[in-house]
Amino acid sequence: MTIKDPYLIFPLSISKVLFKEPFVPSKPKPMTPIKAQMIRLGLTVADLALLTGCGVRTVETWRAGGWEPPRAVLILLAALEAGKIDIDWLAQQLNK
């Protein structure tokens, strides 16, 4: 018995077995505006979830561009970025 395709015996990767071509990853998506704002402000996903009262998964979806965040969140980030609101002051207001 002669086996013509060695990939069928010892597959190096699934893509070579299925397509017989190397896997080429797609280009990364451009950075979303909310992700750029979070980076500039030094906010993590958990920080923004705490500040907005939303779940971490919701903020991750906004950051990835899956959903558009509510306008109130965009206004909050813009005010934080412009220096109109201080993050420490905002955290104190949430703890009252």
Side-chain angles (χ1 to χ4, degrees), residues 3 6-7 33 38 40 43 47-48 74 80 93-94:
I3 299 175
Y7 290 124
M38 288 174 65
R40 285 192 300 266
L43 291 174
D47 293 337
L48 189 57
L74 298 175
L80 286 169
Q93 299 304 313
L94 291 172

Side-chain angles (χ1 to χ4, degrees), residues 43-76:
L43 291 174
T44 64
V45 172
D47 293 337
L48 189 57
L50 182 67
L51 291 174
T52 59
C54 295
V56 172
R57 183 69 186 123
T58 300
V59 176
E60 287 173 347
T61 305
W62 296 340
R63 185 178 164 124
W67 298 328
E68 184 71 24
R71 192 168 298 200
V73 173
L74 298 175
I75 291 169
L76 174 68

